[in-house]
Amino acid sequence: MQKRDREATRTRLLEAARLRFAREGYDATSVRDIARDSGVDATLIFRYFGSKKQLFDQATATAHSPDLLEGPQEELVARMVATIVDHDWTEYGGEHPLVAMLRSSAHEDARQRIRQEVCDTYVIALRDLAKGQDAELRAELLSAWMVGIGILRSVVATPALAEARAADLAPHIASVATDLLGRPMSGTVDQSRSEGESDQT
């Protein structure tokens, strides 16, 4: 029973931390804020996580995001955009965790996490797909475009992009991705194949 209670408390703390860090950033969020939101004593944060930094690292980890590398290569960019536009990120205040982390970019640890997230999740996978010279530069340009989509949607809330779904962006995704990667890329994800694979498991 005590173990379940500890796990439940730890889960509540992570949920509260995700929302606080996403909305206010690292420096503006205090351990007491998170503890108060969770209805527990602040000392439990240090008992379960060791420090505010370790809590931030775990709270902003994207372990629950879809596996972007699974599926056809030509749909990779479409899958990436779908995680920004259509995926349910309610636990991160409705924003992709990367966009949420940008609010903490004044903090050195957060900057390192953002760099790692962008490079490991986006740039390397796109660079490996790119054909021709300047593959890394073109991969970074495409990554910047996708991060910009997330920022304009949730931080700036530009009207057209904030209302758009992945299907609305599909032709533009295909055009930009094809041009930058130098190979034919799809703007959509084949949902029928994904559903068929799920039925077989």
Side-chain angles (χ1 to χ4, degrees):
M1 186 68 177
Q2 287 184 341
K3 182 178 180 181
R4 283 204 300 271
D5 289 343
R6 287 197 301 269
E7 290 175 349
T9 299
R10 190 176 185 280
T11 298
R12 286 204 312 274
L13 286 168
L14 281 171
E15 290 172 348
R18 286 188 188 107
L19 287 174
R20 278 281 181 176
F21 288 134
R23 292 170 179 167
E24 301 176 18
Y26 184 90
D27 290 327
T29 297
S30 73
V31 168
R32 288 183 179 179
D33 290 334
I34 296 169
R36 185 171 57 250
D37 293 345
S38 306
V40 301
D41 190 273
T43 58
L44 288 179
I45 291 178
F46 298 99
R47 183 186 304 174
Y48 293 152
F49 300 98
S51 67
K52 177 182 171 182
K53 177 187 178 301
Q54 291 181 52
L55 174 60
F56 176 79
D57 289 344
Q58 292 189 43
T60 55
T62 56
H64 300 298
S65 65
D67 189 343
L68 297 175
L69 300 182
E70 287 187 358
Q73 291 183 328
E74 67 272 12
E75 295 178 0
L76 176 60
V77 177
R79 290 195 298 274
M80 289 178 170
V81 174
T83 65
I84 297 170
V85 176
D86 288 345
H87 190 73
D88 182 6
W89 292 114
T90 303
E91 62 184 320
Y92 289 91
E95 298 177 331
H96 189 286
L98 179 59
V99 176
M101 277 192 285
L102 288 172
R103 289 197 172 87
S104 302
S105 59
H107 194 271
E108 178 60 27
D109 291 327
R111 281 200 301 275
Q112 291 297 324
R113 284 288 310 282
I114 293 167
R115 185 178 186 280
Q116 182 180 23
E117 186 75 18
V118 171
C119 290
D120 291 352
T121 304
Y122 295 91
V123 176
I124 292 176
L126 295 171
R127 180 200 63 198
D128 291 345
L129 280 183
K131 299 290 187 182
Q133 296 181 337
D134 296 327
E136 187 140 9
L137 175 59
R138 289 182 283 116
E140 290 182 13
L141 284 170
L142 187 50
S143 299
W145 181 67
M146 288 187 284
V147 170
I149 289 173
I151 293 172
L152 286 181
R153 279 177 58 83
S154 59
V155 179
V156 183
T158 54
L161 197 52
E163 294 295 324
R165 310 311 307 165
D168 302 319
L169 302 177
H172 311 296
I173 294 168
S175 176
V176 172
T178 296
D179 284 348
L180 282 175
L181 297 180
R183 58 185 296 165
M185 297 294 291
S186 174
T188 59
V189 178
D190 188 345
Q191 296 294 341
S192 64
R193 182 185 55 257
S194 300
E195 291 167 1
E197 291 172 352
S198 298
D199 293 340
Q200 294 173 11
T201 56

